[in-house]
Amino acid sequence: MKGLLILLTVFGLFIQNARAQDHEVTQLLLNVEKLAQFREIYSNMLKGYNIVSGGYAGIRDISQGNFGLHRAFMTGLEQVNPSVAGYRKVGETVKMHSVILLEGRKMIRSYYDTGLSRPQELEYFQKIYSNIFNLSLRNLDELLTIVASGALVMSDEE
């Protein structure tokens, strides 16, 4: 009887152990199933990320191309038209201003050298020559500003 009781106890422990293992096997199968679901979710997330990333890259490339096109257009607007820059009268105007300045200087020097003019007259001629010189330089500066690329740029507001 004692042997039977020991046998029943061992058999009971074996059944309990088998149930515990059965529960662990069931839990293991559930974990494997969850892992498969997580892998599928990860795969879907990765596909979504790749789609969004590709769309973003496409939009970025389009916007950069558009920005480059606008930059090229705006840079082209800053350039002086070659027909204006190479206009023959620009060179003639520069030569004419240099002739005016040289002739004015010669005239003042001749008035000083002859000694026929009074000091007030010489001072008056000097003021006239100085004014002509300053106006001529301003005109040449304005002409070069017009002919130089990028010198005249207006903002959108202007």
Side-chain angles (χ1 to χ4, degrees), residues 56-99:
Y56 172 74
I59 291 171
R60 183 193 65 220
D61 293 344
I62 290 170
S63 66
Q64 285 179 348
N66 192 23
F67 182 72
L69 183 64
H70 285 289
R71 183 181 323 135
F73 177 73
M74 295 305 287
T75 303
L77 288 178
E78 291 178 5
Q79 300 302 314
V80 174
N81 189 327
S83 62
V84 172
Y87 189 52
R88 65 178 173 81
K89 290 197 175 187
V90 171
E92 291 175 7
T93 303
V94 172
K95 286 179 188 175
M96 188 178 296
H97 278 282
S98 65
V99 167

Side-chain angles (χ1 to χ4, degrees), residues 1 5 10 17-18 26 28 40 45 52 59 75 81-82 111-112 116 121-123 134 139 146 154:
M1 174 103 174
L5 188 58
V10 170
N17 191 17
T26 306
L28 183 62
E40 187 176 337
M45 288 174 59
V52 169
I59 291 171
T75 303
N81 189 327
Y111 283 131
Y112 276 113
L116 300 176
E121 290 174 333
L122 290 174
E123 186 178 319
N134 289 333
N139 287 340
I146 291 170
M154 291 191 296

